[in-house]
Amino acid sequence: MKLFKYEIPNYQFKKKNFENNICLFCGFRVKEDICPYCGTISPYIYYKERIINRHNHIYNLEFNLSKSQEKASHFFLNNYKKKKDAFLYAVCGSGKTEIMYETINYALNNGDKVVITIPRKEIVKELYERLVNVFKNTLIKYIDGNHHDDNCDLLLSTVNQLVNYEDEFDLIILDEADAYPYSDSDYLKGILKKSLKKTGVIFYMSATIKSHMPKNRFILKRRYHNALLDMPKFIKVNDYSNLWNNAIFSEILLTNGRKSIIYVSSINTAKIVSENLGCPCVTSSTKNIDNIISLFRNGNLKYIVSTTLLERGITIKGCDVIIYDADSSIFDKNTIIQISGRVGRKIDDKHGNIYIFYKKYHLKYSLVKRYIRRMNEV
């Protein structure tokens, strides 16, 4: 039998049976009272319920919402009041999180339990650092596998850490709802649903879309600074093996006066390219990611190499992006759109360059162009 043990007193432990063939400990679908995934032997599990103290919450925006953002904000607040799930389908850099502030504040002041959840833990801490400067009267904490402290008003979490909760949240805001590993995982979707109260609401957010998104949606085609999305520049090459010696590639890195993230399809390629360029690489095996990104953000590094680990959730002023080996299946249409969305995200840096190196022209490149043209329509 699984029992969570916490020293914090503001928890109540409850006992539940398996319901609807879902293991209440890990969210895995079971056929009997023994879960094959987490090994829970008993038909009973214990889970914890956080007890939060109701008080007044306020938030401070660093900028005024555009008319479109205001419409989106009211749309989600009304859907929360009606207890209806909804999807914010908005281009990269459109201020998706800021659009949710009004609803978050309403829910918190109503004594409701709110979690903002993200598939990848690399983004959780960065989001935390943003929100503590916005909700200054709100106790905010985050859990990501390495850090677990949820005795707070507003919780940030990776999706897989929601395994710790059952029938807990009134509002779940799922950012990057189409991202790996959540989008293709029935297990993670089960965890998410398990942590939601029966009367709870889920708001999904992403710049790209998959079939599981709610039909009830708000589409936002403009970034908060109202500039158009930049169209990638597609550059044909014959060989990826020594692209760092390619004249066009070298010119991009050396003469444009901007920082660059060079995206590659694998950890092995990242190591090879970074060694030849003499710069750090960011992969799932990199131990000092925060330090590398900080040096890059502050201008102490002109370029870094990254796998798709940094395809979402990162904003760097004065940054261009390069996809080194775009023919790889790792770079599907949605991934290329998300990477392209890393540029032009600041009001004083509205545009940037997107360079895509390819050997064979694929349909996905035409689909990327179609998406950007459609979103740039008035």
Side-chain angles (χ1 to χ4, degrees):
M1 178 165 54
K2 302 288 186 179
L3 177 63
F4 294 104
K5 295 181 179 179
Y6 292 87
E7 296 179 356
I8 300 172
N10 285 350
Y11 293 114
Q12 293 179 352
F13 290 94
K14 296 186 176 181
K15 186 166 70 173
K16 283 258 184 169
N17 284 305
F18 286 116
E19 295 175 354
N20 300 321
N21 295 324
I22 297 292
C23 173
L24 295 179
F25 177 70
C26 72
F28 195 81
R29 188 170 297 278
V30 295
K31 295 182 179 179
E32 52 189 27
D33 289 345
I34 300 176
C35 178
Y37 190 89
C38 69
T40 303
I41 306 172
S42 168
Y44 297 99
I45 61 97
Y46 287 89
Y47 72 94
K48 61 187 180 64
E49 180 185 21
R50 295 179 307 127
I51 306 302
I52 59 175
N53 298 317
R54 186 171 177 175
H55 62 92
N56 184 50
H57 300 270
I58 57 173
Y59 66 97
N60 300 294
L61 271 173
E62 295 179 351
F63 58 88
N64 293 325
L65 295 181
S66 67
K67 290 183 178 179
S68 297
Q69 287 176 315
E70 285 183 352
K71 289 180 181 178
S73 178
H74 298 334
F75 172 85
F76 285 94
L77 178 59
N78 290 333
N79 274 278
Y80 184 67
K81 291 177 178 178
K82 295 175 183 177
K83 299 299 180 183
K84 293 176 62 177
D85 294 350
F87 171 40
L88 177 55
Y89 183 28
V91 296
C92 296
S94 59
K96 291 187 287 293
T97 306
E98 287 80 0
I99 286 168
M100 294 295 170
Y101 289 169
E102 184 180 18
T103 302
I104 292 171
N105 198 63
Y106 172 86
L108 292 175
N109 282 318
N110 199 45
D112 296 343
K113 295 178 181 178
V114 181
V115 62
I116 304 175
T117 186
I118 306 165
R120 293 183 175 180
K121 68 179 182 180
E122 293 80 17
I123 308 173
V124 173
K125 187 177 179 181
E126 183 174 324
L127 179 59
Y128 166 80
E129 292 171 350
R130 283 171 54 194
L131 291 183
V132 292
N133 293 316
V134 175
F135 290 87
K136 294 188 176 181
N137 197 35
T138 302
L139 183 60
I140 304 173
K141 294 185 179 179
Y142 68 93
I143 55 176
D144 62 2
N146 298 322
H147 181 274
H148 194 119
D149 182 358
D150 60 359
N151 187 23
C152 61
D153 304 311
L154 174 60
L155 182 64
L156 313 180
S157 174
T158 54
V159 178
N160 58 345
Q161 289 302 310
L162 295 182
V163 69
N164 296 296
Y165 309 97
E166 197 271 337
D167 194 26
E168 171 76 8
F169 298 106
D170 299 279
L171 174 61
I172 296 177
I173 298 173
L174 174 59
D175 197 6
E176 306 298 356
D178 67 317
Y180 174 87
Y182 173 82
S183 63
D184 299 317
S185 172
D186 290 337
Y187 165 64
L188 291 179
K189 290 172 185 174
I191 284 176
L192 190 82
K193 293 288 187 181
K194 177 179 70 70
S195 67
L196 184 71
K197 287 183 179 178
K198 291 180 174 59
T199 57
V201 174
I202 303 177
F203 289 158
Y204 301 80
M205 303 193 299
S206 186
T208 43
I209 190 169
K210 287 198 173 179
S211 59
H212 62 264
M213 309 297 192
K215 299 299 182 184
N216 180 34
R217 60 189 56 167
F218 191 99
I219 301 175
L220 191 59
K221 293 184 175 183
R222 284 288 184 272
R223 291 174 163 179
Y224 72 96
H225 51 54
N226 208 38
L228 299 179
L229 299 175
D230 293 297
M231 184 66 72
K233 300 173 179 66
F234 292 87
I235 303 168
K236 182 174 173 54
V237 295
N238 296 320
D239 189 10
Y240 291 138
S241 61
N242 61 346
L243 190 56
W244 49 84
N245 290 324
N246 181 285
I248 298 176
F249 186 86
S250 299
E251 184 179 358
I252 290 170
L253 291 181
L254 297 176
T255 64
N256 66 4
R258 293 169 61 85
K259 298 189 285 284
S260 297
I261 303 177
I262 304 156
Y263 290 89
V264 297
S265 60
S266 68
I267 294 176
N268 185 55
T269 304
K271 291 178 179 178
I272 293 172
V273 175
S274 67
E275 286 174 3
N276 281 277
L277 293 179
C279 67
C281 64
V282 176
T283 74
S284 58
S285 62
T286 303
K287 295 182 179 180
N288 56 339
I289 292 178
D290 290 344
N291 184 50
I292 291 172
I293 293 176
S294 178
L295 291 171
F296 183 62
R297 191 187 303 278
N298 295 332
N300 295 313
L301 293 171
K302 188 174 180 182
Y303 35 85
I304 59 174
V305 178
S306 175
T307 59
T308 55
L309 195 71
L310 297 183
E311 79 176 66
R312 302 170 186 247
I314 185 170
T315 298
I316 305 288
K317 183 180 176 181
C319 180
D320 294 339
V321 297
I322 300 168
I323 300 183
Y324 183 90
D325 48 352
D327 289 356
S328 169
S329 60
I330 294 295
F331 299 112
D332 61 13
K333 180 198 76 170
N334 284 355
T335 300
I336 295 174
I337 289 170
Q338 291 286 351
I339 289 173
S340 299
R342 298 310 98 206
V343 308
R345 297 172 66 90
K346 295 287 188 178
I347 197 164
D348 54 350
D349 183 44
K350 296 180 181 179
H351 296 285
N353 299 298
I354 305 149
Y355 303 99
I356 297 178
F357 287 86
Y358 72 96
K359 291 195 296 184
K360 180 180 178 182
Y361 197 86
H362 295 268
L363 174 62
K364 61 186 179 183
Y365 305 142
S366 295
L367 295 177
V368 169
K369 292 178 182 178
R370 182 189 301 176
Y371 168 90
I372 293 173
R373 291 192 187 104
R374 187 172 68 247
M375 288 303 189
N376 282 343
E377 292 173 353
V378 177

